[in-house]
């Protein structure tokens, strides 16, 4: 296993019945499906991507072991649901994705087909995070549909997972790996991960109970983010990351902290089309002691991301003395996803009429994970949080502050991050009345 996989395996052992690390992609199929063809496509998919037919255990000596099963051990699970309403069908898709995995015996992947009527079904692919990531889930859906359409399709070669693990081990033991460790030690020196003030006492044992708050940025605001980022020679991601750090600061996370940024490690040949856990979490520092401007914070985030990607091959799990990162922020570009058009609406693909079923998933992994989805100039933030720590209204308030920080940053990047008011006028009047003793 890779270092990242070992960390995820241990997280699974702490709560093997949790769905917090299940990565799900559900698609409504409004075309007749040939069951036998789909079953063959599932087998071919498992043969192509070995992690989808792997089991994971630990030996008595404490060594993590991955074992391969036959490709036909991964079976299509067909569940007839005649008469189900749209709401019931959505709930069934959600629950199919949430079912826990028995990593030691049956592996980390399933394909469920919910059939309501001929030409009306939901195809659900679910995998534990230690065998997939956001890109992988779309890759496997692309390959599954391609193999269904054409069983003899020629698909790009993929990197064997053991080669990926060996390359990681070689880098870890090299001089380049030591330079990466030193880089992350410098970045994280004297800093802790961002920590939001919780509404409930932190449980003695970590829990994985989660929920999601969705923040839609107006397309006009998204377009301004893109144009502002281009004018400053940086990416929209860096702009949105810097403003998120400003929101955390204004929310009360302190003056100096770290935010984790999941970044892809698909840099070697054969990895771009492979299903697997190709992710490393980069610690990005935020410093607000000197009351910086939005431009200062955003530029610092851009510089750190650029430097961090240079050392991205080394798993930060292997860097000694790095602090936990309970808050993470990442961006997924929908226009680069392997099934074109599916994110934005109904699409004809592989001879089928398809529509995305956006089921909740990956909730409660950390205190807060923010996934920013980009489609053109439209940005949607999914704030997934641990509901044993935070009330929904607390996360909603943070989302409101974040939107305000984005708006203020494009309005005037040169203004201090402390200038925008983060209290609504009616709330401010109420607070002032308390201070004056008014009834």
């Amino acid at each position: 296993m890779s270092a990242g996989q070992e960390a995820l395996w241990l997280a699974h052992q702490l709560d093997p019945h949790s769905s917090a690390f299940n990565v799900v992609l559900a698609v409504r199929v409004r075309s007749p499906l040939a069951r036998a063809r789909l079953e063959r496509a599932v087998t071919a998919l498992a043969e192509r991507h070995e992690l989808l037919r792997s089991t994971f255990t630990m030996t008595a000596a404490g060594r993590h072991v991955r074992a391969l099963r036959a490709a036909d051990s991964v079976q299509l699970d067909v569940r007839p649901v005649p008469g189900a309403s749209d709401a019931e069908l959505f709930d069934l898709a959600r629950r199919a994705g949430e079912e826990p995995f028995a990593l030691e015996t049956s592996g980390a992947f399933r394909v469920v087909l919910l059939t309501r009527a001929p030409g009306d079904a939901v195809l659900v692919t679910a995998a534990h995070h230690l065998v997939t990531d956001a890109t992988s889930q779309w890759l496997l859906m692309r390959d599954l549909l391609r193999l269904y359409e054409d069983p003899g399709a020629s698909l790009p070669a993929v990197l064997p997972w053991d080669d990926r693990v060996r390359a990681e081990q070689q880098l870890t033991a090299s001089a380049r790996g030591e330079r990466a460790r030193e880089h992350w030690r410098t970045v994280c020196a004297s800093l802790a991960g961002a920590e939001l003030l919780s509404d409930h006492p932190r449980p003695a044992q970590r829990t994985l109970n989660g929920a999601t708050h969705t923040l839609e940025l107006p397309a006009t605001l998204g377009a301004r983010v893109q144009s502002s980022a281009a004018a400053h020679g940086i990416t929209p991601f860096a702009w949105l990351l810097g403003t998120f750090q400003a929101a955390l600061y204004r929310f009360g996370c302190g003056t100096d902290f770290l935010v984790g940024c999941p970044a892809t490690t698909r840099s070697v040949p054969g990895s771009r089309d492979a299903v697997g856990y190709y992710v490393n979490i980069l610690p990005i520092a935020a410093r607000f002691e000197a009351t910086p401007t939005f431009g200062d914070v955003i530029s610092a985030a851009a510089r750190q991301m650029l430097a961090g990607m240079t050392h991205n091959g080394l798993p930060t799990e292997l860097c000694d003395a790095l602090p936990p990162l309970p808050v993470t922020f990442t961006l997924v570009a929908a226009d680069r996803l392997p099934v074109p058009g599916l994110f934005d609406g109904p699409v004809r693909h592989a001879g089928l009429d398809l529509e995305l079923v956006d089921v909740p998933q990956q909730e409660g992994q950390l205190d807060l994970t923010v996934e920013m989805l980009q489609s053109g100039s439209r940005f949607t933030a999914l704030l997934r949080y641990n509901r044993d720590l935070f009330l929904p209204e607390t996360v909603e308030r943070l989302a409101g502050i974040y939107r305000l920080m984005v708006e203020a940053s494009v309005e005037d990047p040169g203004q201090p991050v402390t200038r925008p008011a983060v209290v609504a006028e009616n709330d401010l009047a109420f607070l002032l009345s308390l201070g004056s003793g008014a009834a």
Side-chain angles (χ1 to χ4, degrees):
M1 293 191 209
S2 68
Q5 284 182 313
E6 290 185 358
L8 288 166
W9 189 89
L10 290 172
H12 175 80
Q13 298 309 302
L14 293 174
D15 192 349
H17 302 295
S18 171
S19 62
F21 293 96
N22 290 12
V23 186
V24 183
L25 184 57
V27 176
R28 185 78 172 268
V29 184
R30 299 182 185 272
S31 304
L33 276 169
R35 176 172 172 174
R37 283 175 59 193
L38 186 57
E39 288 173 338
R40 288 193 294 269
V42 169
T43 300
L45 181 74
E47 180 67 38
R48 171 172 166 78
H49 299 290
E50 61 184 274
L51 287 179
L52 302 182
R53 52 188 171 94
S54 296
T55 57
F56 301 85
T57 57
M58 179 181 280
T59 66
R63 179 169 171 262
H64 294 94
V65 176
R66 180 176 69 89
L68 279 177
R69 300 186 297 158
D72 60 7
S73 65
V74 180
Q75 297 284 324
L76 175 67
D77 183 357
V78 180
R79 304 178 186 180
V81 290
S85 67
D86 283 353
E88 290 168 337
L89 194 60
F90 179 88
D91 189 58
L92 288 166
R94 176 186 60 79
R95 284 191 277 167
E98 288 178 345
E99 293 169 12
F101 289 101
L103 300 181
E104 298 86 350
T105 55
S106 57
F109 176 62
R110 78 172 69 92
V111 183
V112 176
L113 183 67
L114 303 166
T115 59
R116 182 164 68 172
D120 188 2
V122 175
L123 182 63
V124 182
T125 62
H128 193 281
H129 212 343
L130 90 169
V131 303
T132 193
D133 52 28
T135 299
S136 292
Q137 210 64 15
W138 288 81
L139 282 170
L140 69 86
M141 180 62 76
R142 179 202 67 181
D143 289 356
L144 178 61
L145 295 172
R146 186 74 180 94
L147 291 165
Y148 171 83
E149 181 185 36
D150 179 7
S154 177
L155 298 173
V158 295
L159 181 74
W161 186 251
D162 284 348
D163 289 359
R164 159 80 174 85
V165 175
R166 278 192 290 270
E168 177 183 284
Q169 293 169 342
Q170 291 169 359
L171 173 62
T172 300
S174 69
R176 182 183 165 203
E178 183 53 41
R179 289 194 297 272
R181 286 191 190 86
E182 184 56 34
H183 170 80
W184 294 122
R185 291 189 197 107
T186 301
V187 168
C188 300
S190 304
L191 293 178
E195 187 170 335
L196 284 70
L197 294 175
S198 62
D199 298 302
H200 305 296
R202 188 175 292 274
Q205 184 172 336
R206 177 185 172 190
T207 65
L208 299 171
N209 300 316
T212 301
H213 176 82
T214 301
L215 170 67
E216 295 266 4
L217 297 182
T220 52
L221 179 56
R224 295 185 70 187
V225 167
Q226 291 176 315
S227 60
S228 297
H232 287 77
I234 61 175
T235 64
F237 173 70
W239 196 281
L240 293 166
L241 170 60
T243 50
F244 177 66
Q245 292 173 318
L248 291 176
Y249 167 61
R250 296 298 304 274
F251 195 69
C253 284
T255 57
D256 304 295
F257 51 81
L258 296 166
V259 172
C261 288
T264 182
T265 59
R266 296 175 183 272
S267 58
V268 298
S271 63
R272 293 191 181 276
D273 289 286
V275 169
Y277 184 68
Y278 287 92
V279 175
N280 192 18
I281 310 298
L282 310 184
I284 304 298
R287 301 182 185 276
F288 292 91
E289 288 179 341
T291 315
T293 66
F294 282 104
D296 294 333
V297 176
I298 292 167
S299 295
R303 289 194 300 272
Q304 288 187 72
M305 282 301 300
L306 187 61
M309 290 304 293
T310 303
H311 304 289
N312 189 31
L314 179 76
T316 47
E317 291 91 348
L318 300 180
C319 298
D320 55 306
L322 293 196
L325 300 172
V327 177
T328 65
F329 184 92
T330 190
L331 182 140
V332 176
D335 57 357
R336 300 178 192 170
L337 294 175
V339 185
L342 183 56
F343 179 81
D344 291 313
V347 64
R348 182 80 175 173
H349 185 82
L352 300 170
D353 294 318
L354 308 174
E355 186 175 353
L356 184 66
V357 180
D358 193 11
V359 295
Q361 59 178 297
Q362 303 178 72
E363 298 175 330
Q365 291 183 10
L366 300 170
D367 289 8
L368 175 69
T369 64
V370 179
E371 183 179 278
M372 182 67 74
L373 302 173
Q374 179 186 1
S375 179
S377 61
R378 181 164 57 94
F379 293 89
T380 303
L382 303 177
L383 290 82
R384 300 181 176 119
Y385 61 96
N386 189 313
R387 54 186 171 85
D388 290 334
L389 295 177
F390 307 109
L391 295 170
E393 50 266 36
T394 297
V395 180
E396 183 179 2
R397 178 171 170 263
L398 172 60
I401 293 174
Y402 179 43
R403 172 172 170 165
L404 178 65
M405 294 295 104
V406 175
E407 291 171 342
S409 69
V410 297
E411 188 68 32
D412 180 9
Q415 66 175 309
V417 296
T418 53
R419 180 177 296 171
V422 296
V423 180
E425 289 185 10
N426 55 341
D427 293 335
L428 180 59
F430 173 71
L431 292 173
L432 291 174
S433 70
L434 291 178
S436 65

